[in-house]
Amino acid sequence: NKPAGLLTQAATAGDENCLDLAREYIRERYDKKGNVYLGLVHRLDRNVSGAVVFARTSKAASRLTRSFSQRAVQKHYLAVVEGDALAEASLKNRLGPRPEGRGVCERSDGKEALLRYRCLGRARGRSWLEVRLETGRKHQIRAQLALAGLPLVGDPLYGARARAIARPALHSWWLALPHPIGDRGELALTASVPEDLRTLAASLGWVIPERPSIL
């Protein structure tokens, strides 16, 4: 369960990051000697919190990477956005790098980006969403919701800063994926919602759901 503000993987030497911290945890937990293998199979933006999956063997890494690339992983997020969202919607865009630099935008030569969302509540000009991510593009949820007129609360890159939360109000909440080893069925993983997002949700009278509603 990656906290907001922590890199998934180091960008430059010496950066504190989730991958190295997880390696050190495994070294200590299982009294490993020498190098500890840990495979990176997907990422979250630095200021997004929630569930990240790593692979402890190269075989598992290969299989998990394939599951993500073949869209065999269910990825559900919780988000708070500016604006009154529809009860539910599907968004489809083509995203690519912004010509002026940081971030992504809609462009004809971009990669297809697909997501679905369901509105869990509305209050004071904001909406509480469950998002199911169908593809895995850079900044996808942040960019697609902004393009739909629903920028994330606290996201200065695609919307604006907010007093209520000091980072984009987005959390990788629930993942379901085929077990990478043998015929062991499906893994369902839930990452508890952090305090800043809980506080924001509570201030708007919303409740954290027990499980996903978008199938």
Side-chain angles (χ1 to χ4, degrees):
N1 189 352
K2 186 186 83 64
L6 182 67
L7 290 164
T8 304
Q9 182 183 31
T12 58
D15 286 340
E16 186 178 41
N17 65 91
C18 196
L19 180 62
D20 287 344
L21 291 171
R23 279 199 188 104
E24 190 57 31
Y25 166 79
I26 290 171
R27 185 192 313 282
E28 294 177 3
R29 176 70 173 79
Y30 300 102
D31 194 25
K32 294 279 189 180
K33 307 299 181 186
N35 292 330
V36 172
Y37 177 85
L38 203 62
L40 182 67
V41 297
H42 73 130
R43 295 172 176 82
L44 293 179
D45 292 348
R46 182 175 197 155
N47 287 320
V48 174
S49 58
V52 180
V53 175
F54 297 109
R56 290 188 55 197
T57 68
S58 58
K59 182 180 287 187
S62 175
R63 291 175 179 175
L64 286 168
T65 298
R66 185 166 60 248
S67 291
F68 276 95
S69 65
Q70 293 178 347
R71 304 182 188 177
V73 179
Q74 294 182 44
K75 296 171 282 188
H76 295 255
Y77 290 70
L78 295 175
V80 184
V81 298
E82 303 285 2
D84 292 326
L86 299 173
E88 53 186 85
S90 296
L91 303 181
K92 180 178 180 179
N93 304 92
R94 301 197 74 88
L95 300 178
R98 283 175 169 170
E100 66 273 20
R102 189 166 170 239
V104 299
C105 63
E106 188 159 33
R107 23 188 314 169
S108 60
D109 61 348
K111 294 182 178 180
E112 184 179 64
L114 303 169
L115 67 76
R116 290 183 284 154
Y117 75 73
R118 179 166 291 166
C119 184
L120 304 176
R122 302 181 191 88
R124 301 199 296 276
R126 289 176 172 167
S127 300
W128 173 238
L129 305 182
E130 177 192 335
V131 178
R132 177 165 174 175
L133 195 59
E134 302 290 349
T135 52
R137 310 305 181 199
K138 179 179 179 179
H139 292 188
Q140 181 180 336
I141 295 175
R142 298 166 65 186
Q144 283 197 276
L145 289 176
L147 287 166
L150 301 167
L152 289 168
V153 172
D155 189 351
L157 186 58
Y158 296 98
R161 298 186 186 278
R163 291 184 179 181
I165 191 167
R167 51 97 174 191
L170 182 64
H171 178 71
S172 173
W173 170 50
W174 196 86
L175 293 172
L177 59 155
H179 198 294
I181 305 300
D183 185 18
R184 302 189 186 181
E186 186 178 73
L187 286 169
L189 310 171
T190 305
S192 59
V193 178
E195 189 61 31
D196 61 351
L197 198 52
R198 283 184 174 274
T199 299
L200 177 58
S203 73
L204 296 165
W206 300 329
V207 177
I208 308 296
E210 292 186 4
R211 51 181 297 111
S213 62
I214 306 173
L215 302 177

